[in-house]
Amino acid sequence: MTTDPKAPDTATTGPAKRAPAGAAVLREDVTEAIRAAVFAELAAVGYARMSIEGIARRAGVGKTAVYRRWSSKLHLVLDLVSAVAAQGLPAPATGSLYGDVRALIEVLAHALRHPVASQVIPDLLVEAVRNPEIAEAIRAALLDPRHGIAAGLVRDAVARGDLPGGTDVDRVLELVAGPLYWRLVVVRTEPPEGYDAHMDDLAAAAVAALTARTGR
């Protein structure tokens, strides 16, 4: 008798013979149902009140199906945040400081307007104040990748002579990400001039601030 390598996820099909360790196949449709349930659960109750039981119930699976994929709700949420953070993060390479800053703003705006960012990240930032593990995970998943992109932007600008050596990468992110976060996550209202014109203005203001002391 042979073991079917495509045996279904037993968490959703009832009792079955235990497969050998490492042989279980995690059905992608079950995984996606759990991920969708996490988004809905976070929006409904927030991170603090969210539970594996609630996620499993909303996804229509057993708790075992969740635990086979993630060891805790923290790891589950951070895995999803990391997946979203990794999407749409091309390094700007337009050949000009304004073009690169504008492209970076576009990337950050796309991420902040995603449902995960608008509903999950603010809640996790509150939790991060009380939980160092969450704070560190958010830094690794969200802040470090964006810092790396901004560092590349500065490096290219310095090579072109658009910015002086030693330009602070964190200042670039503060000038770009701060206003975006305020508009897209805190205020949550459409700019009077529309988002495209608003991002054009942010890029021009950031470039003006970065080059104010250099005369470039």
Side-chain angles (χ1 to χ4, degrees):
M1 181 176 179
T2 60
T3 301
D4 180 3
K6 296 184 178 180
D9 195 323
T10 56
T12 61
T13 59
K17 291 183 179 180
R18 182 179 296 276
V25 176
L26 301 182
R27 283 173 43 187
E28 186 60 28
D29 60 328
V30 174
T31 301
E32 289 305 314
I34 295 171
R35 286 174 172 154
V38 173
F39 298 150
E41 195 73 0
L42 279 168
V45 303
Y47 177 82
R49 294 176 58 196
M50 187 181 73
S51 66
I52 295 296
E53 290 82 357
I55 293 168
R57 183 168 55 251
R58 191 179 289 270
V61 301
K63 289 191 297 182
T64 303
V66 181
Y67 281 119
R68 287 174 66 188
R69 292 161 172 82
W70 298 279
S71 60
S72 68
K73 72 174 186 178
L74 172 61
H75 292 105
L76 197 166
V77 170
L78 292 176
D79 176 61
L80 298 184
V81 172
S82 297
V84 171
Q87 297 174 3
L89 290 177
T94 67
S96 73
L97 178 58
Y98 173 84
D100 285 357
V101 169
R102 180 62 176 79
L104 176 59
I105 289 174
E106 188 75 38
V107 168
L108 294 176
H110 175 76
L112 288 173
R113 296 176 79 175
H114 190 283
V116 172
S118 62
Q119 297 179 11
V120 176
I121 292 177
D123 195 33
L124 289 180
L125 289 175
V126 172
E127 293 297 325
V129 175
R130 298 185 288 266
N131 188 324
E133 185 178 5
I134 293 179
E136 181 56 34
I138 288 177
R139 172 171 293 280
L142 298 178
L143 303 184
D144 289 349
R146 282 149 181 76
H147 191 278
I149 291 175
L153 182 156
V154 170
R155 183 174 59 250
D156 291 345
V158 170
R160 289 192 304 265
D162 293 339
L163 290 175
T167 295
D168 188 354
V169 175
D170 288 329
R171 185 162 183 256
V172 174
L173 287 174
E174 289 167 2
L175 289 169
V176 170
L180 272 179
Y181 189 88
W182 175 260
R183 169 63 67 178
L184 298 177
V185 179
V186 179
V187 178
R188 297 187 184 226
T189 59
E190 182 87 14
E193 67 274 31
Y195 275 113
D196 284 342
H198 181 65
M199 289 188 286
D200 289 343
D201 289 344
L202 286 182
V207 169
L210 289 169
T211 59
R213 298 181 182 178
T214 67
R216 287 178 170 81

